[in-house]
Amino acid sequence: MRQLFTISGRYAATKDESITPQVSGLSWSTRLKGFGICLLLAVVLGLIAVIIYFVSGDISGFAVLYSFAVILGIGSTMFLMGPLNQLKKMFDPSRLIATIIFLICLVLTLVSAIVIKSSGLVLLFIILQLIALVWYTISYIPFARDAIKKCCRSIINI
């Protein structure tokens, strides 16, 4: 917990910077259980999506289940951080572009599968979704983005 000090010498506000704010009133144990259940559901839906695609070739079913799996995966972290804190972090300037690209690709995946029914577009948008999600995720690891950028630059300059 950090207190902000004003020019007048008074404490202006208190800002909670912990990873698990107690806003929701859930215990740490309950948060972990919620996280685990959502993450498990995400993995199971993802596997079912892949099985549906390979067994029946149903691109619409695959795209819908896969998209819900990804949403549940992201939603699982809301149990750890709290929904408002998660949204703040998602739309933080360092993650804003990755978040927007991910959300746009998520919508375009569903539109491509349900409305357009184009397997190629679904695959393209799922790949872009995955890249944006990975870029978003590594933003939580100190210096990971910089390391990846350096590796890519050294590969390109070869």
Side-chain angles (χ1 to χ4, degrees):
M1 185 114 56
R2 188 179 81 181
Q3 294 182 334
L4 303 175
F5 197 75
T6 64
I7 294 174
S8 67
R10 294 197 170 141
Y11 290 108
T14 301
K15 183 177 179 183
D16 187 0
E17 294 181 305
S18 67
I19 194 163
T20 56
Q22 296 301 319
V23 176
S24 68
L26 298 176
S27 70
W28 179 245
S29 173
T30 304
R31 288 173 182 265
L32 283 177
K33 288 174 188 172
F35 168 76
I37 290 168
C38 275
L39 193 59
L40 180 64
L41 286 172
V43 170
V44 168
L45 275 180
L47 289 172
I48 291 171
V50 170
I51 291 168
I52 285 175
Y53 180 71
F54 283 114
V55 170
S56 69
D58 180 17
I59 194 72
S60 297
F62 166 75
V64 170
L65 285 177
Y66 176 82
S67 296
F68 280 122
V70 172
I71 291 168
L72 273 172
I74 290 174
S76 69
T77 60
M78 289 187 184
F79 280 99
L80 298 178
M81 290 189 231
L84 292 177
N85 197 18
Q86 173 72 21
L87 289 173
K88 283 181 194 174
K89 290 183 183 288
M90 284 177 72
F91 291 98
D92 182 73
S94 66
R95 298 178 187 96
L96 183 63
I97 293 172
T99 300
I100 290 171
I101 290 171
F102 168 75
L103 292 173
I104 288 170
C105 289
L106 182 70
V107 170
L108 291 175
T109 299
L110 293 170
V111 169
S112 298
I114 297 168
V115 178
I116 302 171
K117 297 187 190 287
S118 169
S119 325
L121 285 176
V122 168
L123 183 61
L124 172 68
F125 291 127
I126 283 178
I127 290 169
L128 292 175
Q129 235 185 87
L130 182 62
I131 291 169
L133 190 58
V134 167
W135 194 249
Y136 167 84
T137 303
I138 64 170
S139 72
Y140 286 98
I141 303 169
F143 308 109
R145 284 182 170 180
D146 293 334
I148 290 172
K149 286 178 188 176
K150 285 181 182 178
C151 286
C152 291
R153 283 187 194 118
S154 67
I155 290 170
I156 291 172
N157 289 334
I158 290 178

